[in-house]
Amino acid sequence: AQSVTQPDIHITVSEGASLELRCNYSYGATPYLFWYVQSPGQGLQLLLKYFSGDTLVQGIKGFEAEFKRSQSSFNLRKPSVHWSDAAEYFCAVVATSGTYKYIFGTGTRLKVLA
Amino acid sequence: NAGVTQTPKFRILKIGQSMTLQCTQDMNHNYMYWYRQDPGMGLKLIYYSVGAGITDKGEVPNGYNVSRSTTEDFPLRLELAAPSQTSVYFCASGGQADQPQHFGDGTRLSIL
């Protein structure tokens, strides 16, 4: 069965610092991979997605993520964090066959220090 | 430009009461989903639908029911509310099964 692990529950960074949020998945093949962001009191918004091809994908708000097949990882990065990036971030996978149900990680809450 | 609309935004129920959480999307998406979000647990899929008249169970369907009579609407029904159903509920829709999902703003439900 597919699964997603986000090992960091909370991360705190200073404004202007770089950011990396980790995501590891378990699946027999390469799944479709997504990162979503959730601001307080709101639903989830798509940041970026990976289906195939170039393993470095660009998203909105200056985020990028790199797919590494050998490590079963899809880590999210941003070179310089802004205070408005404080939110909760979810990694999600969708199997490329079968039911196509989404499996979400448990989320990483990002705090940004001024 | 409404996207996915959920009503109500907040609700408090007593144990044993019933209610329906409404979800409407205006993007003509075939796929619709209901999730619950509990602190530290991420999102858990309750039910999903691949088109009008077709629904299926997700990870945590017990205590809930759904229907899909139109493409636009996907209501979630709680028949006998229990404290364990206190949660934030999100509805989402997608054009294809493997495409990004569009989320509503959620319904925060407390059962006392």
Side-chain angles (χ1 to χ4, degrees):
Chain A
Q2 64 200 82
S3 64
V4 179
T5 301
Q6 292 181 247
D8 303 305
I9 299 174
H10 298 279
I11 283 185
T12 300
V13 299
S14 297
E15 191 170 22
S18 63
L19 172 70
E20 182 169 32
L21 303 182
R22 295 183 291 165
C23 173
N24 293 95
Y25 68 90
S26 174
Y27 183 60
T30 299
Y32 298 130
L33 297 157
F34 304 85
W35 273 101
Y36 286 83
V37 60
Q38 183 182 31
S39 298
Q42 297 187 10
L44 280 67
Q45 179 186 19
L46 178 71
L47 281 176
L48 46 79
K49 62 187 179 184
Y50 174 79
F51 285 177
S52 65
D54 192 347
T55 57
L56 184 64
V57 293
Q58 302 297 319
I60 63 171
K61 305 185 180 185
F63 285 91
E64 66 178 27
E66 185 172 15
F67 169 62
K68 293 186 177 180
R69 185 190 310 274
S70 61
Q71 299 177 17
S72 296
S73 69
F74 188 56
N75 294 348
L76 181 71
R77 301 195 295 246
K78 187 169 185 178
S80 178
V81 170
H82 188 263
W83 63 266
S84 61
D85 293 324
E88 190 155 20
Y89 293 80
F90 292 92
C91 181
V93 301
V94 177
T96 53
S97 63
T99 60
Y100 293 98
K101 294 178 194 175
Y102 267 56
I103 301 295
F104 284 89
T106 52
T108 297
R109 186 170 296 278
L110 174 65
K111 182 177 179 180
V112 180
L113 301 176
Chain B
N1 194 19
V4 178
T5 302
Q6 292 184 239
T7 56
K9 294 188 184 301
F10 304 94
R11 184 72 183 268
I12 298 175
L13 285 182
K14 294 182 179 179
I15 295 172
Q17 287 185 320
S18 62
M19 78 162 294
T20 299
L21 282 66
Q22 301 292 343
C23 176
T24 298
Q25 54 96 3
D26 62 0
M27 296 171 283
N28 201 33
H29 285 163
N30 286 323
Y31 292 81
M32 296 189 74
Y33 309 83
W34 274 106
Y35 296 90
R36 59 177 289 171
Q37 183 179 34
D38 301 299
M41 301 296 290
L43 278 77
K44 300 294 185 184
L45 182 65
I46 304 172
Y47 272 95
Y48 68 102
S49 170
V50 302
I54 306 170
T55 62
D56 203 353
K57 297 177 181 179
E59 298 176 79
V60 290
N62 292 342
Y64 306 94
N65 279 298
V66 294
S67 60
R68 183 96 182 269
S69 58
T70 67
T71 299
E72 295 79 17
D73 300 309
F74 190 42
L76 178 72
R77 178 86 176 160
L78 283 71
E79 291 294 350
L80 290 171
S84 61
Q85 294 176 306
T86 293
S87 188
V88 181
Y89 292 84
F90 287 98
C91 179
S93 72
Q96 299 291 334
D98 56 350
Q99 295 298 308
Q101 296 184 7
H102 299 259
F103 284 80
D105 288 337
T107 295
R108 186 175 297 275
L109 180 63
S110 295
I111 298 163
L112 306 174

